[in-house]
Amino acid sequence: MDVSVLDRLPAPVQAELDRRQAALPAIAALVEADEDEPVLLAGSYATGEWNPTSDLDLLVLTKRHRPRRAPGTTNHPSILGDSFDGLAGDLPVNVEYVSAERLHDLARVLANTTGDGGTVDLPNLQALEIRLVQRVHKGVALSGTGELDRYRAWLDLDAVRSAATALAFVGTLSLLGDTTVLASPTRELMCRGAAESLLMSAVNAFGPLTHDGKHLLTRAASISRLSDVPELFGRIEPLLFAERLPHEEALGLVLDLAEDLYRSFTDPRCPARVLPMLAPFVPAWSWTGRTWPATEHGLAKTGRAFAGEGA
């Protein structure tokens, strides 16, 4: 890659690279990209959330199936593409290559979320897929902006935020159900997982698209400073340590916060499709003894329309 592409890095990132003595030519030598292929600054350096252990993440949206492996790098192939780790000085650099074909496959999954009879299906997105959408939409474009705009238009961010929120919420109720039949210490492990999953659901509902725990607490703390947010954001510590309570008390706490979060999904700040995606799961939650307001024809009565459907 031409080193001049890296001149478009945000000034704070360039200052951090200078401080780390990470030479731009050394970074450019790790990247293979054609002139018209989008190259994005991704990850923590793109969001301004980096710390001393953060990699510099670069994403190349490529028409190639397999780029060359730069000398001295290691590859972590996945179903989405190849991901190479290298060094520029002492700075870890990750360069990920994802083909336009994989983006199109993901776009096709998202387009199929609308089911029969007005229902909205819940796509079973995995963490790598959610991360990819986050990086495509929130990454800093260094080249290929025309192509990037086209790819961003393919990937429905509201559908992905809705799915990430709903999947984590379903996971919460599933893990809580496990705590009612499993013995200690597995019961406490499931309770901890349920609490983390509920926080993940809440952050995706009210904040940026989030796929793992790295920035979960800092993002939740930022959301807690907003007005009129779910109770959960004011009780993060009790939630995350709920497994230390007697089981019935822990179960009651997490269910209380889950019920409150569920009711908040009608908030206009939340992605529009969460409640319709959750509707098929509601009957299975009768064991909780809680109220999960019904939806009509799978659509929440919020007055909001989905993207492309009048709003």
Side-chain angles (χ1 to χ4, degrees), residues 33-38 61 63 143-145 147-148:
D34 295 336
E35 188 174 345
D36 62 337
E37 290 179 331
L61 303 178
K63 299 180 178 68
S143 68
T145 54
E147 280 291 281
L148 177 60

Side-chain angles (χ1 to χ4, degrees), residues 148-192:
L148 177 60
D149 288 343
R150 186 165 70 95
Y151 296 151
R152 283 174 171 169
W154 285 0
L155 301 176
D156 185 340
L157 185 58
D158 181 86
V160 176
R161 279 189 64 214
S162 295
T165 301
L167 284 166
F169 195 87
V170 170
T172 297
L173 271 294
S174 176
L175 290 169
L176 284 179
D178 289 341
T179 70
T180 66
V181 297
L182 296 175
S184 180
T186 307
R187 180 177 60 210
E188 287 75 23
L189 183 63
M190 296 301 100
C191 184
R192 175 71 180 217

Side-chain angles (χ1 to χ4, degrees), residues 234-258:
R235 303 189 68 187
I236 293 172
E237 187 170 340
L239 171 65
L240 292 182
F241 292 102
E243 85 279 1
R244 298 182 181 181
L245 300 172
H247 176 249
E248 289 301 323
E249 187 177 346
L251 183 62
L253 169 64
V254 181
L255 281 175
D256 284 347
L257 297 179

Side-chain angles (χ1 to χ4, degrees), residues 161-170 172 194-210 216 219-224 226 229-236 239-240 257-258 260-262 264-265 267 269-271 274 278:
R161 279 189 64 214
S162 295
T165 301
L167 284 166
F169 195 87
V170 170
T172 297
E196 292 179 358
S197 190
L198 187 63
L199 186 59
M200 181 74 73
S201 179
V203 168
N204 276 299
F206 284 85
L209 185 61
T210 301
L216 187 60
R219 292 176 181 178
S222 295
I223 296 168
S224 71
L226 302 177
V229 293
E231 181 184 357
L232 170 154
F233 289 108
R235 303 189 68 187
I236 293 172
L239 171 65
L240 292 182
L257 297 179
D260 179 67
L261 177 62
Y262 181 91
S264 78
F265 289 149
D267 190 305
R269 291 171 291 183
C270 294
V274 178
L278 290 177

Side-chain angles (χ1 to χ4, degrees), residues 268-287:
R269 291 171 291 183
C270 294
R273 285 168 252 196
V274 178
L275 285 173
M277 287 180 177
L278 290 177
F281 298 91
V282 169
W285 299 338
S286 60
W287 66 268

